[in-house]
Amino acid sequence: GIGDSSPAISPDGRALLFSRWVSYANSDLYLLSLSKDLKPAGEPKRLTFTNRLTFSPLWTLDGREVIFSSGLGPVESRGSLWRIAVSGTDGPRLAGFGDEGSFPAMSRDGHRLAYSRDLGSDTDIWRTEVPDPQRQANPPTKFISTTRYEGCPTYSPDGKKIAFYSNRSGSGIWVCDSDGSNAQPLTLLGGGQPQWSPDSQRLVFDSSAEGQSEIYVVSVNGGKPQRITSGPTSNQNPSWSHDGRWIYFDSHGDRGGIWKIPAQGGEPVLVTRDGWGPFDSPDGRFIYHSRNGQPGLWKVPVEGGEESRVLESLNGYCNFAVVDDGIYFIARPDPSGDCFIQFLNFAIRSVKPIAAIRGGSDGLSVSPDRRWILYTQSVHGGSDLMLVENFR
């Protein structure tokens, strides 16, 4: 796993509930018995099996039940409040309140319960034009949008299609024409980070639909996605090699680091032990990636070897696109809070600004003709505090 959080001590002080994370979108509740001096008594016991984002447990005063937040359904993007008996004899049931709720808290008499209700955010895909000396560039415009989430955009290598993640009607991978029209769901397995094969005929993405996050491949014409990874750890953030023979991905837990696997499936091969978010260079010589605890963007030869830092600043591991002569990227915000899409020229090692954007982004893609850049932008709705009277 990648960590434990949300600790909650039982009313009698003899048990600890917590959330154990398998990936950034997959966690469940565990129950650890405690001795009189608060030492662990045995190994933690798994209490929920949601394979979804499950966290913020709250004990009822009698210590018999737990209230928690989770997106239990296969297409829920934001969680609701649920309750489950600590005995584990029955599965979770809805609390009867708390849609899009989390972080419950109870009054001392047990008759009132407060929680945070997430108002969500509207995340859309925007498009900006790459400046050209021969013409005036147009300002960025909202390009693919609904009132839900759209992100992780990527142009197909032939320039005809765009793939992206959306939860507008179930969570999954969608495909539209390059002008943003004719959006259609390709798969509703949830997940994200779609990336095109070099021939523009297939997409690779990650999904936790079957439990922990794994890597899948699906034809652009539809059909059942093929799962190509398995094992004891979570696998995420896939991308294709330049020749289409391999799929790169990162793994968590004991088998951490960046790996590659044959595109048709097979045994994974280690590339580097430290990194995530891998992308092959157009010439197939390097893997570009982020590193644990170290800012910027790094590269490592595809056959392994010494790593080197390419960018000192990168705002999110997926906000870059490597082309033949450089890298388009989003640097971390400046002291005023502004963000810029920039371009690093390999030949002269200079960086020039492309466009100013508001806030962060979840994915960056450049069209094959180098005229357009896609990125995401969010308008956050915040949250409200809700109070439940006469809780029982």
Side-chain angles (χ1 to χ4, degrees):
I2 62 172
D4 298 333
S5 69
S6 303
I9 297 285
S10 62
D12 63 5
R14 298 302 300 274
L16 169 69
L17 266 169
F18 62 92
S19 181
R20 173 159 289 176
W21 298 74
V22 177
S23 70
Y24 293 103
N26 187 340
S27 60
D28 271 294
L29 298 185
Y30 281 73
L31 180 66
L32 176 65
S33 296
L34 301 175
S35 64
K36 291 183 178 180
D37 57 355
L38 301 181
K39 301 294 185 181
E43 293 297 319
K45 172 187 174 183
R46 188 171 177 178
L47 184 62
T48 64
F49 295 82
T50 67
N51 293 315
R52 300 286 166 182
L53 193 64
T54 300
F55 63 103
S56 66
L58 170 73
W59 294 84
T60 55
L61 292 191
D62 59 14
R64 295 179 179 178
E65 289 190 310
V66 176
I67 299 167
F68 60 95
S69 178
S70 181
L72 283 175
V75 298
E76 290 182 78
S77 60
R78 282 176 266 167
S80 297
L81 291 183
W82 298 72
R83 59 197 304 171
I84 189 173
V86 178
S87 63
T89 53
D90 297 310
R93 68 184 191 279
L94 280 169
F97 55 84
D99 286 345
E100 300 174 349
S102 59
F103 305 108
M106 192 178 297
S107 62
R108 293 182 182 272
D109 62 9
H111 295 156
R112 289 180 174 177
L113 187 141
Y115 64 93
S116 174
R117 184 181 183 187
D118 182 17
L119 301 180
S121 62
D122 180 14
T123 301
D124 298 309
I125 296 172
W126 287 61
R127 187 177 73 165
T128 189
E129 193 171 15
V130 177
D132 188 303
Q134 306 302 320
R135 64 177 184 275
Q136 180 75 24
N138 294 313
T141 58
K142 189 182 294 187
F143 189 59
I144 300 173
S145 66
T146 64
T147 57
R148 305 297 286 180
Y149 178 93
E150 276 76 37
C152 308
T154 176
Y155 279 104
S156 62
D158 62 11
K160 296 179 180 179
K161 298 286 184 179
I162 295 169
F164 60 98
Y165 170 83
S166 178
N167 62 4
R168 63 178 69 185
S169 178
S171 300
I173 308 303
W174 290 62
V175 174
C176 67
D177 294 339
S178 61
D179 62 0
S181 63
N182 299 319
Q184 298 291 331
L186 186 61
T187 171
L188 294 179
L189 279 180
Q193 302 299 336
Q195 295 295 331
W196 292 92
S197 61
D199 61 4
S200 301
Q201 295 302 305
R202 292 172 292 170
L203 282 161
V204 65
F205 63 99
D206 58 46
S207 172
S208 57
E210 299 180 59
Q212 69 183 16
S213 181
E214 299 290 357
I215 309 302
Y216 295 79
V217 172
V218 64
S219 168
V220 71
N221 298 315
K224 183 178 180 180
Q226 173 194 2
R227 175 175 163 176
I228 65 168
T229 62
S230 61
T233 61
S234 176
N235 302 303
Q236 300 178 124
N237 303 316
S239 64
W240 297 83
S241 64
H242 74 291
D243 57 10
R245 295 176 53 206
W246 298 91
I247 291 173
Y248 295 96
F249 63 94
D250 57 57
S251 188
H252 297 279
D254 294 338
R255 201 182 72 175
I258 293 173
W259 297 71
K260 66 178 182 179
I261 191 170
Q264 71 275 13
E267 289 298 317
V269 178
L270 179 66
V271 177
T272 176
R273 277 291 182 189
D274 187 6
W276 72 90
F279 279 90
D280 196 3
S281 61
D283 59 11
R285 296 175 55 200
F286 296 99
I287 300 298
Y288 290 83
H289 64 91
S290 296
R291 290 185 68 175
N292 294 313
Q294 301 187 52
L297 183 68
W298 296 72
K299 71 176 182 179
V300 61
V302 294
E303 66 274 7
E306 185 176 353
E307 301 186 32
S308 58
R309 192 180 342 233
V310 182
L311 296 172
E312 296 295 325
S313 176
L314 183 67
N315 190 27
Y317 69 93
C318 58
N319 288 325
F320 71 94
V322 184
V323 294
D324 292 331
D325 59 345
I327 302 174
Y328 293 90
F329 67 99
I330 301 175
R332 291 187 174 185
D334 62 21
S336 67
D338 293 331
C339 281
F340 293 88
I341 299 175
Q342 303 181 56
F343 179 71
L344 167 66
N345 187 300
F346 287 151
I348 58 177
R349 301 300 303 173
S350 68
V351 174
K352 69 174 183 178
I354 300 296
I357 63 175
R358 289 194 300 114
S361 180
D362 186 9
L364 181 77
S365 183
V366 181
S367 61
D369 62 7
R370 304 272 290 272
R371 182 177 177 184
W372 303 104
I373 296 176
L374 300 177
Y375 63 96
T376 62
Q377 194 163 282
S378 300
V379 178
H380 295 281
S383 59
D384 285 332
L385 286 180
M386 309 297 292
L387 180 66
V388 180
E389 299 276 8
N390 301 317
F391 172 75
R392 58 186 180 275

